[in-house]
Amino acid sequence: MRRTLALLASAAVLVATGSLPAGAQQARQTPAGKYAQQAFAATNANRTHNGLKALKANDCVKHAAVRQAKLMAQREQMFHQDLGRVMRDCKLNTAGENVAYGFPSGRSVVNDGWMNSEGHRANILNPSFRLMGIGARKGHDGRWYVAQVFGRKA
């Protein structure tokens, strides 16, 4: 049986000014938390393998990612959020987002999905990004919907 998976990358990087609140929250060990932790670890493994610094967790960008994953799962539809809002809310000067659905694990969405897509890979390996948040939620259709939000403070 062939599984059909979909991806959507944000090609635009937005710029503004501001600063970022310090601190980040660990993902809970719910299935969604485990999925997000796996994706976080796989993303940083790919960055360090490519000579880049690991991204740091941030509560504000995580909140934006979780909010987006919940909305996509509720609608059972994949789409991007307004990164201008994320930049304002989180006081970022740059932001990016990867979204996906249908991948069975956090490692899979990163290694089998995003890293094999030019736009997603570019976001993951963007040396300008310093912060990351990931949200994952299951829709009523049983599929995982995932949002990965990147950012950098001024």
Coordinates of all heavy atoms in Angstrom, one line a residue, residues 35-94:
Y35 N 6.0 13.0 20.1 CA 6.2 13.3 18.7 C 7.0 14.5 18.5 O 8.0 14.6 17.7 CB 4.8 13.4 18.0 CG 4.8 13.4 16.5 CD1 4.3 12.4 15.8 CD2 5.3 14.5 15.8 CE1 4.2 12.4 14.4 CE2 5.3 14.5 14.4 CZ 4.7 13.4 13.7 OH 4.7 13.5 12.4
A36 N 6.7 15.6 19.2 CA 7.4 16.9 19.1 C 8.8 16.7 19.6 O 9.7 17.3 19.0 CB 6.6 17.9 19.9
Q37 N 9.1 16.0 20.7 CA 10.4 15.8 21.2 C 11.3 15.1 20.1 O 12.4 15.4 19.9 CB 10.4 15.0 22.5 CG 10.2 15.8 23.7 CD 10.3 15.0 25.0 OE1 10.1 13.8 25.0 NE2 10.8 15.7 26.0
Q38 N 10.7 14.1 19.5 CA 11.4 13.3 18.5 C 11.8 14.3 17.3 O 12.9 14.2 16.8 CB 10.6 12.2 17.9 CG 10.5 11.0 18.9 CD 9.6 9.9 18.3 OE1 9.0 10.1 17.2 NE2 9.4 8.8 19.0
A39 N 10.9 15.1 16.9 CA 11.1 16.0 15.8 C 12.2 17.0 16.2 O 13.0 17.4 15.3 CB 9.8 16.7 15.3
F40 N 12.1 17.5 17.4 CA 13.1 18.5 17.9 C 14.5 17.9 17.9 O 15.4 18.5 17.3 CB 12.7 18.9 19.3 CG 13.3 20.2 19.7 CD1 12.5 21.4 19.7 CD2 14.6 20.3 20.2 CE1 13.1 22.6 20.1 CE2 15.1 21.5 20.6 CZ 14.4 22.7 20.5
A41 N 14.6 16.7 18.4 CA 15.9 16.0 18.4 C 16.4 15.7 17.0 O 17.6 15.9 16.7 CB 15.8 14.8 19.3
A42 N 15.6 15.3 16.1 CA 16.0 14.9 14.8 C 16.4 16.2 14.0 O 17.4 16.2 13.2 CB 14.8 14.2 14.0
T43 N 15.7 17.3 14.3 CA 16.1 18.6 13.6 C 17.5 19.0 14.1 O 18.3 19.3 13.2 CB 15.0 19.7 14.0 OG1 13.8 19.3 13.4 CG2 15.5 21.0 13.4
N44 N 17.7 19.0 15.4 CA 19.0 19.4 15.9 C 20.1 18.4 15.4 O 21.3 18.8 15.2 CB 19.0 19.6 17.4 CG 18.5 21.0 17.7 OD1 18.6 21.9 16.9 ND2 17.9 21.2 18.9
A45 N 19.8 17.1 15.3 CA 20.8 16.2 14.8 C 21.2 16.5 13.4 O 22.4 16.5 13.1 CB 20.3 14.7 14.9
N46 N 20.2 16.9 12.6 CA 20.5 17.3 11.2 C 21.3 18.6 11.2 O 22.2 18.7 10.3 CB 19.2 17.4 10.4 CG 18.7 16.1 9.9 OD1 19.3 15.5 9.0 ND2 17.7 15.6 10.5
R47 N 21.0 19.5 12.0 CA 21.8 20.8 12.1 C 23.2 20.5 12.5 O 24.1 21.0 11.8 CB 21.1 21.8 13.0 CG 19.9 22.4 12.4 CD 19.2 23.4 13.3 NE 20.1 24.5 13.6 CZ 20.2 25.6 12.9 NH1 19.4 25.8 11.8 NH2 21.0 26.6 13.3
T48 N 23.4 19.8 13.6 CA 24.8 19.6 14.0 C 25.6 18.7 13.0 O 26.8 19.0 12.8 CB 24.8 18.9 15.4 OG1 24.1 17.7 15.4 CG2 24.3 19.9 16.5
H49 N 24.9 17.8 12.4 CA 25.6 17.0 11.3 C 26.1 17.8 10.2 O 27.0 17.5 9.5 CB 24.6 15.9 10.8 CG 25.2 15.0 9.7 ND1 26.1 14.1 10.0 CD2 25.0 15.0 8.4 CE1 26.5 13.5 8.8 NE2 25.8 14.1 7.8
N50 N 25.4 19.0 10.0 CA 25.7 19.9 8.9 C 26.5 21.1 9.4 O 26.6 22.1 8.7 CB 24.5 20.4 8.2 CG 24.0 19.3 7.2 OD1 24.4 19.1 6.1 ND2 23.0 18.5 7.7
G51 N 27.1 21.0 10.6 CA 28.0 22.0 11.1 C 27.3 23.2 11.7 O 28.0 24.3 11.8
L52 N 26.0 23.1 12.0 CA 25.3 24.3 12.5 C 25.0 24.1 14.0 O 25.0 23.0 14.5 CB 24.0 24.4 11.8 CG 24.1 24.7 10.3 CD1 22.7 24.6 9.6 CD2 24.7 26.1 10.1
K53 N 24.8 25.2 14.7 CA 24.4 25.1 16.1 C 23.0 24.6 16.3 O 22.1 24.8 15.4 CB 24.4 26.6 16.7 CG 25.7 27.2 16.8 CD 25.6 28.5 17.5 CE 27.0 29.2 17.6 NZ 26.9 30.5 18.3
A54 N 22.8 23.8 17.4 CA 21.5 23.3 17.7 C 20.6 24.5 18.0 O 21.0 25.5 18.5 CB 21.6 22.4 18.9
L55 N 19.3 24.3 17.7 CA 18.3 25.3 18.0 C 17.8 25.1 19.4 O 17.8 24.0 19.9 CB 17.1 25.2 17.0 CG 17.4 25.4 15.6 CD1 16.3 25.0 14.7 CD2 17.8 26.9 15.3
K56 N 17.5 26.2 20.0 CA 17.0 26.2 21.4 C 15.5 26.3 21.4 O 14.8 26.9 20.6 CB 17.5 27.4 22.2 CG 19.0 27.4 22.4 CD 19.5 28.6 23.1 CE 21.0 28.5 23.2 NZ 21.6 29.7 23.9
A57 N 14.9 25.6 22.4 CA 13.5 25.6 22.6 C 13.1 27.0 23.1 O 13.8 27.6 23.9 CB 13.0 24.5 23.6
N58 N 11.9 27.4 22.8 CA 11.4 28.7 23.2 C 9.9 28.6 23.4 O 9.2 28.1 22.5 CB 11.7 29.8 22.2 CG 11.1 31.1 22.5 OD1 10.0 31.4 22.1 ND2 11.8 31.9 23.3
D59 N 9.4 29.0 24.6 CA 7.9 28.9 24.9 C 7.0 29.6 23.9 O 6.0 29.1 23.5 CB 7.6 29.4 26.3 CG 8.2 28.5 27.4 OD1 8.4 27.3 27.1 OD2 8.3 29.1 28.5
C60 N 7.4 30.8 23.4 CA 6.5 31.5 22.5 C 6.4 30.9 21.2 O 5.3 30.7 20.7 CB 7.0 33.0 22.4 SG 5.9 34.1 21.6
V61 N 7.5 30.5 20.6 CA 7.5 29.9 19.3 C 6.8 28.5 19.4 O 6.1 28.0 18.4 CB 8.8 29.8 18.5 CG1 9.2 31.2 18.1 CG2 9.9 29.1 19.2
K62 N 7.0 27.8 20.5 CA 6.3 26.5 20.7 C 4.8 26.7 20.8 O 4.1 26.0 20.2 CB 6.8 25.8 22.0 CG 6.1 24.5 22.3 CD 6.5 23.9 23.5 CE 5.7 22.7 23.8 NZ 6.1 22.0 25.1
H63 N 4.4 27.8 21.5 CA 3.0 28.1 21.5 C 2.4 28.3 20.1 O 1.3 27.8 19.8 CB 2.7 29.3 22.4 CG 1.3 29.7 22.5 ND1 0.4 29.0 23.2 CD2 0.7 30.7 21.9 CE1 -0.8 29.6 23.1 NE2 -0.6 30.7 22.3
A64 N 3.1 29.0 19.3 CA 2.7 29.3 17.9 C 2.6 28.0 17.1 O 1.6 27.8 16.4 CB 3.6 30.3 17.2
A65 N 3.6 27.1 17.3 CA 3.6 25.8 16.6 C 2.4 24.9 17.1 O 1.7 24.3 16.3 CB 4.9 25.1 16.8
V66 N 2.2 24.8 18.4 CA 1.1 24.0 18.9 C -0.2 24.6 18.5 O -1.1 23.8 18.1 CB 1.2 23.9 20.5 CG1 -0.1 23.3 21.1 CG2 2.4 23.1 20.9
R67 N -0.4 25.9 18.5 CA -1.7 26.5 18.1 C -1.9 26.1 16.6 O -3.0 25.7 16.3 CB -1.6 28.0 18.2 CG -2.8 28.8 17.8 CD -2.7 30.3 18.0 NE -1.6 30.8 17.1 CZ -0.6 31.6 17.6 NH1 -0.6 32.0 18.8 NH2 0.3 32.0 16.8
Q68 N -0.9 26.2 15.8 CA -1.1 25.8 14.4 C -1.4 24.4 14.2 O -2.2 24.0 13.4 CB 0.2 26.2 13.6 CG 0.1 26.0 12.1 CD -1.0 26.8 11.4 OE1 -1.5 27.7 11.9 NE2 -1.3 26.4 10.2
A69 N -0.7 23.5 14.9 CA -0.9 22.0 14.7 C -2.4 21.7 15.2 O -3.0 20.9 14.5 CB 0.1 21.3 15.6
K70 N -2.8 22.3 16.2 CA -4.2 22.1 16.7 C -5.2 22.5 15.7 O -6.2 21.8 15.4 CB -4.5 22.8 18.0 CG -3.8 22.2 19.2 CD -4.2 23.1 20.5 CE -3.6 22.5 21.7 NZ -3.9 23.4 22.9
L71 N -5.0 23.7 15.1 CA -5.9 24.2 14.1 C -5.9 23.3 12.8 O -7.0 23.0 12.3 CB -5.6 25.6 13.7 CG -6.6 26.5 13.0 CD1 -7.9 26.5 13.6 CD2 -6.1 27.9 12.8
M72 N -4.8 22.9 12.4 CA -4.7 22.0 11.2 C -5.4 20.7 11.5 O -6.1 20.2 10.6 CB -3.3 21.8 10.8 CG -2.6 23.0 10.2 SD -1.0 22.7 9.4 CE -0.1 21.9 10.7
A73 N -5.2 20.1 12.7 CA -5.8 18.8 13.0 C -7.3 19.0 13.1 O -8.0 18.1 12.7 CB -5.2 18.3 14.3
Q74 N -7.7 20.1 13.7 CA -9.2 20.3 13.8 C -9.8 20.4 12.4 O -10.9 19.9 12.2 CB -9.4 21.6 14.6 CG -10.9 22.0 14.8 CD -11.0 23.4 15.5 OE1 -10.1 24.1 15.6 NE2 -12.2 23.6 15.9
R75 N -9.2 21.1 11.5 CA -9.7 21.3 10.1 C -9.4 20.1 9.2 O -9.9 20.0 8.1 CB -9.2 22.6 9.5 CG -9.7 23.8 10.2 CD -9.2 25.0 9.5 NE -9.5 26.2 10.2 CZ -9.1 27.4 9.9 NH1 -8.3 27.6 8.8 NH2 -9.4 28.5 10.6
E76 N -8.4 19.2 9.7 CA -7.9 18.2 8.9 C -7.4 18.7 7.5 O -7.7 18.2 6.4 CB -8.9 17.0 8.7 CG -9.2 16.3 10.0 CD -10.2 15.2 9.9 OE1 -10.9 15.1 8.9 OE2 -10.3 14.5 10.9
Q77 N -6.6 19.8 7.6 CA -6.1 20.5 6.5 C -4.8 21.1 6.8 O -4.6 21.6 7.9 CB -7.1 21.6 6.1 CG -6.8 22.4 4.9 CD -7.8 23.5 4.6 OE1 -8.7 23.7 5.4 NE2 -7.6 24.1 3.5
M78 N -3.8 21.1 5.9 CA -2.5 21.6 6.2 C -2.4 23.0 5.5 O -2.8 23.2 4.4 CB -1.5 20.7 5.5 CG -0.1 21.1 5.9 SD 1.1 20.0 5.2 CE 0.7 20.1 3.4
F79 N -1.9 24.0 6.3 CA -1.8 25.4 5.8 C -0.8 26.1 6.8 O -0.6 25.7 7.9 CB -3.1 26.1 5.8 CG -3.9 26.1 7.0 CD1 -3.8 27.1 7.9 CD2 -4.7 25.0 7.4 CE1 -4.5 27.1 9.1 CE2 -5.4 24.9 8.5 CZ -5.3 26.0 9.4
H80 N -0.3 27.2 6.3 CA 0.6 28.0 7.1 C -0.2 29.1 7.9 O -1.2 29.5 7.5 CB 1.7 28.7 6.2 CG 2.7 27.8 5.8 ND1 3.7 27.4 6.6 CD2 3.0 27.3 4.6 CE1 4.5 26.6 5.9 NE2 4.1 26.5 4.7
Q81 N 0.4 29.5 9.0 CA -0.1 30.6 9.8 C 0.6 31.9 9.4 O 1.5 31.9 8.6 CB 0.1 30.3 11.3 CG 1.6 30.3 11.7 CD 1.7 29.9 13.2 OE1 1.1 30.5 14.0 NE2 2.5 28.8 13.4
D82 N 0.0 33.0 9.9 CA 0.6 34.3 9.6 C 1.9 34.5 10.5 O 1.8 34.6 11.7 CB -0.4 35.4 10.0 CG 0.1 36.8 9.9 OD1 1.2 37.0 9.4 OD2 -0.7 37.7 10.3
L83 N 3.0 34.4 9.8 CA 4.3 34.6 10.6 C 4.5 36.0 11.1 O 5.3 36.2 12.0 CB 5.5 34.1 9.7 CG 5.5 32.6 9.4 CD1 6.7 32.3 8.5 CD2 5.6 31.8 10.7
G84 N 3.9 37.0 10.5 CA 3.9 38.3 11.0 C 3.4 38.4 12.4 O 4.0 39.0 13.3
R85 N 2.3 37.7 12.7 CA 1.7 37.6 14.0 C 2.7 36.9 15.0 O 2.9 37.4 16.1 CB 0.4 36.8 14.0 CG -0.2 36.6 15.3 CD -1.4 35.7 15.3 NE -1.9 35.5 16.7 CZ -2.8 34.6 16.9 NH1 -3.4 33.9 16.0 NH2 -3.2 34.4 18.2
V86 N 3.3 35.8 14.5 CA 4.3 35.1 15.4 C 5.4 36.0 15.7 O 5.9 36.1 16.9 CB 4.8 33.8 14.7 CG1 5.9 33.2 15.5 CG2 3.6 32.9 14.4
M87 N 5.9 36.8 14.7 CA 7.0 37.7 15.0 C 6.7 38.8 16.0 O 7.5 39.1 16.8 CB 7.5 38.3 13.6 CG 8.2 37.2 12.8 SD 8.7 37.8 11.1 CE 9.8 39.1 11.6
R88 N 5.5 39.3 15.8 CA 5.0 40.3 16.8 C 4.9 39.7 18.2 O 5.4 40.3 19.2 CB 3.7 41.0 16.3 CG 3.9 41.9 15.2 CD 2.6 42.6 14.8 NE 1.5 41.7 14.5 CZ 1.2 41.2 13.4 NH1 2.0 41.4 12.3 NH2 0.2 40.4 13.2
D89 N 4.1 38.6 18.3 CA 3.9 38.0 19.6 C 5.1 37.6 20.3 O 5.2 37.7 21.5 CB 2.9 36.8 19.4 CG 1.5 37.1 19.0 OD1 1.2 38.3 19.0 OD2 0.8 36.2 18.7
C90 N 6.1 37.0 19.5 CA 7.3 36.5 20.1 C 8.5 37.5 20.1 O 9.6 37.1 20.5 CB 7.7 35.2 19.4 SG 6.5 33.9 19.6
K91 N 8.3 38.7 19.5 CA 9.3 39.7 19.4 C 10.5 39.2 18.7 O 11.7 39.3 19.1 CB 9.7 40.2 20.8 CG 8.5 40.9 21.5 CD 8.8 41.4 22.8 CE 7.7 42.2 23.5 NZ 6.5 41.5 23.7
L92 N 10.3 38.6 17.5 CA 11.4 38.0 16.6 C 11.7 39.0 15.5 O 10.9 39.8 15.1 CB 10.9 36.7 16.0 CG 10.4 35.6 17.0 CD1 9.9 34.5 16.2 CD2 11.6 35.2 17.8
N93 N 12.9 38.9 15.0 CA 13.3 39.7 13.8 C 13.3 38.8 12.6 O 13.4 39.3 11.5 CB 14.6 40.4 14.0 CG 15.8 39.5 14.0 OD1 15.7 38.3 14.0 ND2 17.0 40.1 14.1
T94 N 13.2 37.5 12.7 CA 13.0 36.6 11.6 C 12.3 35.3 12.0 O 12.4 35.0 13.2 CB 14.4 36.2 11.0 OG1 14.2 35.5 9.7 CG2 15.3 35.5 11.9

